[in-house]
Short mmCIF file of all heavy atoms in Angstrom, two decimals:
data_model
loop_
_atom_site.label_atom_id
_atom_site.label_comp_id
_atom_site.label_asym_id
_atom_site.label_seq_id
_atom_site.Cartn_x
_atom_site.Cartn_y
_atom_site.Cartn_z
N ARG V 125 22.05 -9.30 -25.02
CA ARG V 125 23.36 -9.11 -25.63
C ARG V 125 23.26 -8.34 -26.94
O ARG V 125 24.06 -7.45 -27.23
CB ARG V 125 24.05 -10.46 -25.87
CG ARG V 125 24.69 -11.06 -24.63
CD ARG V 125 25.60 -12.22 -25.00
NE ARG V 125 24.86 -13.32 -25.63
CZ ARG V 125 24.33 -14.34 -24.96
NH1 ARG V 125 24.45 -14.39 -23.65
NH2 ARG V 125 23.70 -15.30 -25.60
N ASP V 126 22.26 -8.69 -27.73
CA ASP V 126 22.09 -8.07 -29.05
C ASP V 126 21.53 -6.66 -28.96
O ASP V 126 21.75 -5.84 -29.86
CB ASP V 126 21.15 -8.91 -29.93
CG ASP V 126 21.72 -10.26 -30.28
OD1 ASP V 126 22.95 -10.46 -30.08
OD2 ASP V 126 20.96 -11.13 -30.73
N LEU V 127 20.77 -6.39 -27.90
CA LEU V 127 20.05 -5.12 -27.77
C LEU V 127 20.37 -4.48 -26.41
O LEU V 127 19.51 -4.39 -25.54
CB LEU V 127 18.54 -5.36 -27.89
CG LEU V 127 18.06 -6.03 -29.18
CD1 LEU V 127 16.67 -6.62 -28.99
CD2 LEU V 127 18.08 -5.01 -30.32
N PRO V 128 21.61 -4.03 -26.24
CA PRO V 128 22.00 -3.48 -24.94
C PRO V 128 21.12 -2.30 -24.52
O PRO V 128 20.81 -1.43 -25.32
CB PRO V 128 23.46 -3.05 -25.15
CG PRO V 128 23.66 -3.00 -26.63
CD PRO V 128 22.71 -3.98 -27.22
N GLY V 129 20.68 -2.35 -23.27
CA GLY V 129 19.87 -1.26 -22.74
C GLY V 129 18.40 -1.32 -23.09
O GLY V 129 17.62 -0.45 -22.69
N ARG V 130 17.99 -2.36 -23.82
CA ARG V 130 16.59 -2.42 -24.29
C ARG V 130 15.75 -3.49 -23.61
O ARG V 130 14.52 -3.49 -23.75
CB ARG V 130 16.55 -2.69 -25.82
CG ARG V 130 17.45 -1.81 -26.66
CD ARG V 130 17.08 -0.34 -26.64
NE ARG V 130 15.82 -0.01 -27.28
CZ ARG V 130 15.67 0.25 -28.59
NH1 ARG V 130 16.71 0.17 -29.40
NH2 ARG V 130 14.50 0.58 -29.07
N ILE V 131 16.38 -4.41 -22.87
CA ILE V 131 15.66 -5.54 -22.29
C ILE V 131 15.58 -5.40 -20.77
O ILE V 131 16.60 -5.25 -20.09
CB ILE V 131 16.33 -6.89 -22.63
CG1 ILE V 131 16.49 -7.04 -24.15
CG2 ILE V 131 15.56 -8.05 -22.02
CD1 ILE V 131 15.18 -7.08 -24.93
N ILE V 132 14.37 -5.46 -20.24
CA ILE V 132 14.13 -5.48 -18.80
C ILE V 132 13.57 -6.85 -18.44
O ILE V 132 12.69 -7.37 -19.15
CB ILE V 132 13.12 -4.39 -18.39
CG1 ILE V 132 13.68 -2.99 -18.71
CG2 ILE V 132 12.75 -4.50 -16.91
CD1 ILE V 132 12.68 -1.87 -18.49
N VAL V 133 14.08 -7.43 -17.38
CA VAL V 133 13.54 -8.71 -16.91
C VAL V 133 12.51 -8.43 -15.81
O VAL V 133 12.82 -7.79 -14.80
CB VAL V 133 14.65 -9.64 -16.38
CG1 VAL V 133 14.05 -10.86 -15.68
CG2 VAL V 133 15.54 -10.09 -17.54
N GLY V 134 11.31 -8.90 -16.03
CA GLY V 134 10.26 -8.74 -15.05
C GLY V 134 10.31 -9.86 -14.02
O GLY V 134 10.21 -11.04 -14.38
N VAL V 135 10.51 -9.50 -12.77
CA VAL V 135 10.57 -10.48 -11.69
C VAL V 135 9.33 -10.27 -10.83
O VAL V 135 9.27 -9.36 -10.01
CB VAL V 135 11.85 -10.31 -10.85
CG1 VAL V 135 11.95 -11.39 -9.78
CG2 VAL V 135 13.09 -10.33 -11.74
N ASP V 136 8.33 -11.09 -11.06
CA ASP V 136 7.06 -10.97 -10.34
C ASP V 136 7.06 -11.97 -9.18
O ASP V 136 7.32 -13.15 -9.39
CB ASP V 136 5.88 -11.28 -11.27
CG ASP V 136 5.86 -10.33 -12.46
OD1 ASP V 136 6.35 -9.20 -12.33
OD2 ASP V 136 5.35 -10.73 -13.52
N ALA V 137 6.77 -11.48 -7.98
CA ALA V 137 6.90 -12.33 -6.80
C ALA V 137 5.61 -12.44 -6.01
O ALA V 137 4.87 -11.46 -5.85
CB ALA V 137 7.99 -11.78 -5.90
N ARG V 138 5.36 -13.63 -5.54
CA ARG V 138 4.30 -13.85 -4.56
C ARG V 138 4.94 -14.61 -3.40
O ARG V 138 5.41 -15.73 -3.56
CB ARG V 138 3.15 -14.66 -5.18
CG ARG V 138 1.88 -14.64 -4.32
CD ARG V 138 0.79 -15.51 -4.90
NE ARG V 138 0.15 -14.96 -6.08
CZ ARG V 138 -0.81 -14.03 -6.07
NH1 ARG V 138 -1.22 -13.52 -4.94
NH2 ARG V 138 -1.35 -13.61 -7.20
N ASP V 139 5.02 -13.97 -2.25
CA ASP V 139 5.66 -14.55 -1.06
C ASP V 139 7.09 -15.00 -1.35
O ASP V 139 7.53 -16.06 -0.91
CB ASP V 139 4.84 -15.74 -0.54
CG ASP V 139 3.43 -15.33 -0.14
OD1 ASP V 139 3.27 -14.22 0.40
OD2 ASP V 139 2.50 -16.11 -0.38
N GLY V 140 7.82 -14.17 -2.12
CA GLY V 140 9.23 -14.44 -2.37
C GLY V 140 9.52 -15.41 -3.50
O GLY V 140 10.68 -15.61 -3.87
N MET V 141 8.47 -16.00 -4.09
CA MET V 141 8.65 -16.94 -5.20
C MET V 141 8.22 -16.29 -6.51
O MET V 141 7.32 -15.44 -6.53
CB MET V 141 7.84 -18.22 -4.96
CG MET V 141 8.07 -18.86 -3.59
SD MET V 141 9.81 -19.22 -3.22
CE MET V 141 10.05 -20.70 -4.22
N VAL V 142 8.82 -16.72 -7.61
CA VAL V 142 8.54 -16.13 -8.92
C VAL V 142 7.17 -16.59 -9.42
O VAL V 142 6.87 -17.78 -9.45
CB VAL V 142 9.62 -16.52 -9.94
CG1 VAL V 142 9.27 -16.00 -11.33
CG2 VAL V 142 10.98 -15.97 -9.49
N ALA V 143 6.34 -15.61 -9.83
CA ALA V 143 5.03 -15.90 -10.42
C ALA V 143 5.13 -15.69 -11.93
O ALA V 143 5.83 -14.79 -12.40
CB ALA V 143 3.96 -14.98 -9.83
#
Side-chain angles (χ1 to χ4, degrees):
R125 280 193 298 269
D126 294 346
L127 302 161
R130 311 295 292 273
I131 305 297
I132 297 173
V133 170
V135 183
D136 301 332
R138 194 184 287 279
D139 300 323
M141 308 305 283
V142 176

